[in-house]
Amino acid sequence: GLSPHSHNELHATCGRTVPAWGATTLLPSTRLLLKRREVVEVERALQSQREEFRQRMERLAQRRQQLGQRKEQLQDVVLKFNAFLKASAARQERALRRADEERAWVARQGAEAAHLHQELAGLLQCRERLGQRLRSLRCFGDYLQGVLARMGQFQDVPAMLAHFEALAGVRAALAQQAEAQQEQLTQGWARLRRYQEEATSELLRTNNELVQLRARLEAARREVLQ
């Protein structure tokens, strides 16, 4: 079957090749020749249409191939873009994590710096107090140096202080021993007072008994005399 366009082309071709004579005036051979010529023209038109259709199909196939290649390219681009997005998200996450770590590190450093500043201020105050105490004790140091120079039997002040500390320890021990002996003496005096008080009480009881016995003896004598 031919398309309307093909029929139009065929009629146009036939109109160009066949004169507008009446069919009754033509001979059979002429009509056959015209029919053959018409068939040739139709075949030629069909061949032209087939060639055009083939070229169109080739162009469509090329276009389809180009679209397939373009689709593959777009898929590659999409895959690359997705990979780029994933890599960007991973980089952004790493950057955020590094930023959080850096903020935490800065906060720790700030807290440590504040603690160190506070400790430094305390150390400066302690150094000032020690400096004041050293200045207040300098006269004693000079005095000890003078004592060391006058005595002449010690190598340095620490040796002299160690000797006097030993003497102070011996003195403390002797004082403790004397205190213990004094305590024992005090306890002895206390026991002696208790013994004296007990002896006095016993003597008073004995004297009372003696007075009672004398009174009884005197009463017995009077009774004997009576």
Side-chain angles (χ1 to χ4, degrees):
L2 297 176
S3 63
H5 180 70
S6 299
H7 282 292
N8 293 330
E9 289 180 354
L10 180 61
H11 287 301
T13 303
C14 292
R16 286 194 303 269
T17 57
V18 179
W21 295 335
T24 57
T25 61
L26 295 178
L27 296 175
S29 59
T30 303
R31 288 198 299 272
L32 180 60
L33 180 61
L34 290 176
K35 288 293 183 182
R36 287 179 178 176
R37 183 176 298 176
E38 184 179 357
V39 170
V40 170
E41 292 293 333
V42 170
E43 287 291 336
R44 186 179 299 171
L46 290 175
Q47 184 66 27
S48 177
Q49 288 183 358
R50 291 192 189 98
E51 182 66 22
E52 183 181 357
F53 181 75
R54 186 186 62 80
Q55 292 178 358
R56 185 179 299 174
M57 292 300 295
E58 288 181 355
R59 288 195 298 271
L60 289 175
Q62 292 178 358
R63 182 60 178 171
R64 187 179 294 109
Q65 184 179 2
Q66 291 176 357
L67 290 176
Q69 294 177 356
R70 183 61 178 171
K71 181 180 179 181
E72 292 178 355
Q73 292 176 358
L74 290 176
Q75 288 177 353
D76 293 337
V77 170
V78 169
L79 291 176
K80 291 179 180 179
F81 185 69
N82 290 333
F84 173 75
L85 289 179
K86 290 181 180 179
S88 298
R91 287 194 299 270
Q92 185 177 5
E93 184 177 0
R94 288 194 299 270
L96 291 175
R97 188 166 56 251
R98 284 196 301 269
D100 292 337
E101 292 176 355
E102 288 179 357
R103 282 194 294 269
W105 181 79
V106 169
R108 290 195 300 270
Q109 292 296 321
E112 186 176 359
H115 177 70
L116 290 176
H117 280 299
Q118 185 177 2
E119 186 176 358
L120 178 61
L123 290 174
L124 291 175
Q125 292 179 359
C126 182
R127 187 180 69 175
E128 182 64 24
R129 289 194 301 269
L130 291 176
Q132 292 178 359
R133 186 175 181 184
L134 180 62
R135 288 190 295 270
S136 64
L137 295 176
R138 186 166 297 159
C139 58
F140 298 100
D142 297 337
Y143 171 75
L144 290 176
Q145 290 291 338
V147 173
L148 179 66
R150 286 194 301 271
M151 295 186 68
Q153 60 181 1
F154 298 105
Q155 183 178 0
D156 51 12
V157 172
M160 182 179 66
L161 293 178
H163 175 71
F164 283 109
E165 285 178 0
L167 292 179
V170 172
R171 179 182 178 183
L174 292 175
Q176 186 177 4
Q177 183 178 1
E179 185 178 358
Q181 291 177 356
Q182 182 65 32
E183 182 66 23
Q184 292 178 359
L185 181 60
T186 302
Q187 293 177 0
W189 281 110
R191 287 195 299 271
L192 178 60
R193 283 195 298 272
R194 285 197 302 272
Y195 293 153
Q196 289 176 350
E197 291 175 357
E198 292 176 356
T200 302
S201 298
E202 185 66 25
L203 181 60
L204 290 174
R205 285 194 301 272
T206 304
N207 290 330
N208 291 330
E209 291 178 357
L210 181 60
V211 169
Q212 292 175 2
L213 289 174
R214 287 177 178 174
R216 289 174 61 187
L217 179 61
E218 185 65 28
R221 286 179 180 176
R222 284 195 301 267
E223 186 177 357
V224 168
L225 290 176
Q226 291 175 1

